[in-house]
PDB file of all heavy atoms in Angstrom:
ATOM      1  N   GLU A 175     159.873 138.129 110.676  1.00 85.00           N
ATOM      2  CA  GLU A 175     158.800 137.411 111.366  1.00 85.00           C
ATOM      3  C   GLU A 175     158.820 137.671 112.869  1.00 85.00           C
ATOM      4  O   GLU A 175     157.789 137.922 113.483  1.00 85.00           O
ATOM      5  CB  GLU A 175     158.940 135.908 111.092  1.00 85.00           C
ATOM      6  CG  GLU A 175     157.796 135.069 111.636  1.00 85.00           C
ATOM      7  CD  GLU A 175     156.479 135.350 110.923  1.00 85.00           C
ATOM      8  OE1 GLU A 175     156.511 135.793 109.754  1.00 85.00           O
ATOM      9  OE2 GLU A 175     155.424 135.132 111.540  1.00 85.00           O
ATOM     10  N   ASP A 176     160.011 137.614 113.476  1.00 90.00           N
ATOM     11  CA  ASP A 176     160.108 137.825 114.929  1.00 90.00           C
ATOM     12  C   ASP A 176     161.295 138.710 115.288  1.00 90.00           C
ATOM     13  O   ASP A 176     161.875 138.590 116.359  1.00 90.00           O
ATOM     14  CB  ASP A 176     160.223 136.483 115.658  1.00 90.00           C
ATOM     15  CG  ASP A 176     161.366 135.639 115.117  1.00 90.00           C
ATOM     16  OD1 ASP A 176     162.028 136.093 114.156  1.00 90.00           O
ATOM     17  OD2 ASP A 176     161.592 134.530 115.644  1.00 90.00           O
ATOM     18  N   GLY A 177     161.678 139.600 114.386  1.00 94.00           N
ATOM     19  CA  GLY A 177     162.806 140.496 114.630  1.00 94.00           C
ATOM     20  C   GLY A 177     162.912 141.500 113.505  1.00 94.00           C
ATOM     21  O   GLY A 177     161.900 141.954 112.965  1.00 94.00           O
ATOM     22  N   VAL A 178     164.133 141.839 113.141  1.00 95.00           N
ATOM     23  CA  VAL A 178     164.358 142.753 112.019  1.00 95.00           C
ATOM     24  C   VAL A 178     165.401 142.153 111.085  1.00 95.00           C
ATOM     25  O   VAL A 178     166.200 141.298 111.476  1.00 95.00           O
ATOM     26  CB  VAL A 178     164.828 144.148 112.499  1.00 95.00           C
ATOM     27  CG1 VAL A 178     163.761 144.795 113.372  1.00 95.00           C
ATOM     28  CG2 VAL A 178     166.166 144.063 113.238  1.00 95.00           C
ATOM     29  N   ALA A 179     165.374 142.602 109.836  1.00 94.00           N
ATOM     30  CA  ALA A 179     166.328 142.140 108.833  1.00 94.00           C
ATOM     31  C   ALA A 179     166.914 143.353 108.132  1.00 94.00           C
ATOM     32  O   ALA A 179     166.188 144.280 107.763  1.00 94.00           O
ATOM     33  CB  ALA A 179     165.652 141.223 107.820  1.00 94.00           C
ATOM     34  N   ALA A 180     168.231 143.363 107.963  1.00 94.00           N
ATOM     35  CA  ALA A 180     168.916 144.479 107.310  1.00 94.00           C
ATOM     36  C   ALA A 180     169.620 143.994 106.056  1.00 94.00           C
ATOM     37  O   ALA A 180     170.216 142.913 106.038  1.00 94.00           O
ATOM     38  CB  ALA A 180     169.932 145.110 108.268  1.00 94.00           C
ATOM     39  N   LEU A 181     169.544 144.800 104.998  1.00 91.00           N
ATOM     40  CA  LEU A 181     170.276 144.536 103.768  1.00 91.00           C
ATOM     41  C   LEU A 181     171.261 145.677 103.580  1.00 91.00           C
ATOM     42  O   LEU A 181     170.864 146.846 103.551  1.00 91.00           O
ATOM     43  CB  LEU A 181     169.328 144.455 102.574  1.00 91.00           C
ATOM     44  CG  LEU A 181     169.977 144.180 101.213  1.00 91.00           C
ATOM     45  CD1 LEU A 181     170.656 142.805 101.201  1.00 91.00           C
ATOM     46  CD2 LEU A 181     168.946 144.271 100.098  1.00 91.00           C
ATOM     47  N   ALA A 182     172.550 145.348 103.486  1.00 90.00           N
ATOM     48  CA  ALA A 182     173.572 146.394 103.412  1.00 90.00           C
ATOM     49  C   ALA A 182     174.765 145.893 102.620  1.00 90.00           C
ATOM     50  O   ALA A 182     174.928 144.688 102.392  1.00 90.00           O
ATOM     51  CB  ALA A 182     174.012 146.800 104.820  1.00 90.00           C
ATOM     52  N   MET A 183     175.608 146.837 102.182  1.00 84.00           N
ATOM     53  CA  MET A 183     176.860 146.457 101.546  1.00 84.00           C
ATOM     54  C   MET A 183     177.867 147.582 101.702  1.00 84.00           C
ATOM     55  O   MET A 183     177.507 148.758 101.838  1.00 84.00           O
ATOM     56  CB  MET A 183     176.659 146.123 100.073  1.00 84.00           C
ATOM     57  CG  MET A 183     176.259 147.264  99.181  1.00 84.00           C
ATOM     58  SD  MET A 183     176.135 146.683  97.467  1.00 84.00           S
ATOM     59  CE  MET A 183     175.378 148.109  96.694  1.00 84.00           C
ATOM     60  N   PRO A 184     179.163 147.213 101.715  1.00 81.00           N
ATOM     61  CA  PRO A 184     180.210 148.234 101.811  1.00 81.00           C
ATOM     62  C   PRO A 184     180.228 149.107 100.566  1.00 81.00           C
ATOM     63  O   PRO A 184     179.968 148.631  99.459  1.00 81.00           O
ATOM     64  CB  PRO A 184     181.503 147.409 101.923  1.00 81.00           C
ATOM     65  CG  PRO A 184     181.068 146.038 102.306  1.00 81.00           C
ATOM     66  CD  PRO A 184     179.709 145.854 101.703  1.00 81.00           C
ATOM     67  N   ARG A 185     180.539 150.377 100.753  1.00 74.00           N
ATOM     68  CA  ARG A 185     180.603 151.297  99.623  1.00 74.00           C
ATOM     69  C   ARG A 185     181.702 150.863  98.659  1.00 74.00           C
ATOM     70  O   ARG A 185     182.811 150.542  99.048  1.00 74.00           O
ATOM     71  CB  ARG A 185     180.874 152.716 100.119  1.00 74.00           C
ATOM     72  CG  ARG A 185     180.920 153.776  99.011  1.00 74.00           C
ATOM     73  CD  ARG A 185     181.130 155.147  99.590  1.00 74.00           C
ATOM     74  NE  ARG A 185     180.026 155.526 100.465  1.00 74.00           N
ATOM     75  CZ  ARG A 185     180.048 156.610 101.250  1.00 74.00           C
ATOM     76  NH1 ARG A 185     181.116 157.378 101.296  1.00 74.00           N
ATOM     77  NH2 ARG A 185     179.007 156.897 102.009  1.00 74.00           N
ATOM     78  N   GLY A 186     181.365 150.845  97.369  1.00 71.00           N
ATOM     79  CA  GLY A 186     182.343 150.517  96.354  1.00 71.00           C
ATOM     80  C   GLY A 186     182.624 149.037  96.209  1.00 71.00           C
ATOM     81  O   GLY A 186     183.534 148.646  95.475  1.00 71.00           O
TER      82      GLY A 186
END
Side-chain angles (χ1 to χ4, degrees):
E175 186 67 25
D176 54 358
V178 298
L181 180 63
M183 67 178 170
R185 182 178 298 170

